[in-house]
Structure formats: C-alpha cells, structure tokens
Amino acid sequence: DFMREISGLKVLEEKLKETLKLKNVFVVAGNSDDSPWVKRELGRACVSRIKERLTVNNIVAVTGGTTLAAVADMMQMDCKNLHTLFVPARGGVGESVENEANTICAKMAQHTNSNYRLLYVPDQVSSEVYASIVTEPSVKEILDLIKSSNIVIHGIGDAVTMARRRSTSAAEWDAITTGHAVGEAFGYYFNEQGEVVCKVRTIGMQLEDLQNVSHVIAVAGGASKAKAIQAVIGQGHTSILVTDEGAARELLKSI
Ligand code: F6P
C-alpha cells in the first residue's frame, strides 16, 4: 500500500472516482497496451476485489475477452464451502474459444473448486431461432440463474477493435460508425455519451438486468480503452472499476 501511495496510484484512483462518480476504483501500475504483464496484474487486482465481496451461495456471471481470461488465470482460491456458481453472462458474442465467456467461466470454477453452468447459443442466428431457444427448458434454467447473479465481472473494449474482432454485419458496422460508438461491453456498443448505438443479438444478461446485481465489477486497462471505459461507466451500473495507469492517465487527460 505504501508503494502504491508513493507511486501516485492512490491519487489517480481518487481523481477517477471523482470524474467517473464511482465509489470503488482500483488502479494497477503500467499500461496493458504496451506490456502484457499489466493484464495479469489487472487480473490479480480483480481477483482480490472479488474475494472481498464473495459470500456464501453467490452466482458469479462473467463475460469473455483476454482481460477476463487473465482474471481466470490469476484466480486461485478454494471456494468449496462458499458454494459459488459461475455462469457466462451472455451467449456467444463472437470470441475465439479461449476468450469465450463459457471457457472463462469453466476455468474460474476449476481454479476455485466451484461449480459452473454453461450457455450454448450459436453466435449468429435469426431472431426466430433466438425466440425459440429461450423457451428451451435447459436454456431457460441457465437464463434464470444468470438473471439472479449477485456478482458480475465484465470486460470493456474499444468499439472498433471489438467490431473488427467479431464477425460484424454491414448493418451493425453502419450503426457503430454512424452512431460514433467508442466502447463495448456485454455485446452493447456505446457512444461517448454512454448511449447504446448497437447491440449484438444474443441471450443472457441484458443491460437493464445489471440494476439488480449487487456487485458489477468492470476490469479493463490500456490507454486505448480510456474513452470506452468512460462510456461504459457512464451507464451507471458499475460498482467497481479495476483499471491500469495507462487508461487512467489518458482518461483524466481528456477531461
Ligand atoms: O467479447 C467479450 C468482451 O468482454 C467484450 O464485451 C469486451 O469489449 C471485450 O471482451 C474485452 O476484451 P479484451 O479484454 O480482450 O480487451
């Protein structure tokens, strides 16, 4: 803590709390855009925040991405007596297997001696197929678990980076560019004002469901994500932000 004090991380945290109107902000040293080990530090810091909040019988919903994969890698704790259940927050949003919410969810459960449930939904299907999938009893059961989660851990991405990483349809690209999207989380694209301009069609947790979640933990770093972080936090659902110096300094610069 003394090291964090003298390296100015505490000052950054206080400034970010004020700017983003957030009670809990945690900043790790470095910029994950430049140094891969910073992502692991984000993961480690995120795990500590989860540990502080985890109580008995919690349902923890997680999203995908490389940052969440780092959180899963850093998770080492025995939660057997806590009866924690890990679930993916939403169905497929177009991530590669190792960065999929399902994979990360299973890994977290393994690393904590907990249980998990998975959600199998194809990435790109018609609205008719989606409508019928949600009525499948086995899917509906998981959806109910997701909606009753107490803790949500999610990543945030730069809008264009995410649209490129996924198979994004022409119509979605159009919405993302004309809507000036800067950030993405949960399959939703946000503009600088924090408004939703495009949404990936998949089942699971919807933005409005976050209102009922006690701890919404956002974990994202790198200077390139500054605008994205600000846009997503602007939604007002976040209870804790775990970020890095790179993102923090860039974000405060633009104010
Ligand atoms: O695709 C899942 C997701 O959590 C997105 O919602 C988010 O924008 C992205 O991953 C973050 O990915 P990364 O941590 O690799 O930057």
Side-chain angles (χ1 to χ4, degrees):
D1 242 41
F2 174 67
M3 282 312 289
R4 291 167 43 75
E5 193 104 31
I6 55 168
S7 57
L9 295 175
K10 292 257 173 215
V11 177
L12 281 179
E13 283 169 4
E14 290 312 314
K15 284 190 184 155
L16 273 187
K17 281 184 201 171
E18 206 184 304
T19 309
L20 299 172
K21 297 185 181 58
L22 265 186
K23 278 213 190 80
N24 299 291
V25 176
F26 199 86
V27 179
V28 304
N31 178 2
S32 42
D33 283 345
D34 305 331
S35 337
W37 55 266
V38 179
K39 215 173 253 183
R40 294 176 64 80
E41 288 311 310
L42 279 175
R44 194 197 306 276
C46 183
V47 170
S48 303
R49 309 284 84 74
I50 299 164
K51 264 191 198 162
E52 290 163 4
R53 281 153 185 95
L54 206 59
T55 56
V56 78
N57 291 330
N58 284 169
I59 300 180
V60 182
V62 298
T63 69
T66 59
T67 314
L68 262 291
V71 177
D73 284 340
M74 301 311 281
M75 217 176 245
Q76 286 300 347
M77 48 187 173
D78 193 352
C79 299
K80 198 172 186 350
N81 299 326
L82 288 180
H83 308 284
T84 312
L85 179 72
F86 286 89
V87 292
R90 297 190 84 198
V93 285
E95 291 282 10
S96 56
V97 176
E98 68 275 21
N99 295 330
E100 240 180 47
N102 269 340
T103 311
I104 289 166
C105 159
K107 202 182 232 183
M108 287 184 176
Q110 253 167 14
H111 288 181
T112 56
N113 211 351
S114 311
N115 292 315
Y116 66 93
R117 301 295 301 274
L118 301 181
L119 186 58
Y120 296 105
V121 208
D123 275 357
Q124 309 278 326
V125 297
S126 65
S127 46
E128 294 77 29
V129 173
Y130 269 116
S132 76
I133 280 181
V134 288
T135 63
E136 269 301 314
S138 63
V139 173
K140 179 146 193 322
E141 191 201 332
I142 317 267
L143 290 178
D144 290 342
L145 289 171
I146 292 172
K147 302 233 171 190
S148 46
S149 58
N150 325 82
I151 301 182
V152 171
I153 316 161
H154 74 92
I156 296 173
D158 166 69
V160 173
T161 308
M162 289 315 297
R164 279 204 195 112
R165 195 156 101 186
R166 300 171 169 155
S167 56
T168 300
S169 69
E172 284 170 340
W173 265 117
D174 194 47
I176 290 164
T177 44
T178 58
H180 304 287
V182 294
E184 193 281 350
F186 298 100
Y188 291 80
Y189 289 84
F190 305 89
N191 65 15
E192 232 170 296
Q193 286 70 47
E195 295 153 350
V196 177
V197 298
C198 177
K199 182 183 167 190
V200 173
R201 188 169 51 211
T202 185
I203 59 173
M205 187 156 272
Q206 307 299 309
L207 213 46
E208 56 272 22
D209 297 330
L210 292 175
Q211 269 164 3
N212 311 317
V213 182
S214 328
H215 307 291
V216 179
I217 309 179
V219 49
S224 62
K225 287 191 186 180
K227 276 203 170 131
I229 293 170
Q230 194 166 19
V232 174
I233 303 295
Q235 277 283 318
H237 298 299
T238 314
S239 27
I240 310 161
L241 169 69
V242 180
T243 189
D244 64 17
E245 228 182 316
R249 291 199 192 283
E250 185 67 28
L251 205 152
L252 293 168
K253 212 193 281 173
S254 63
I255 311 292

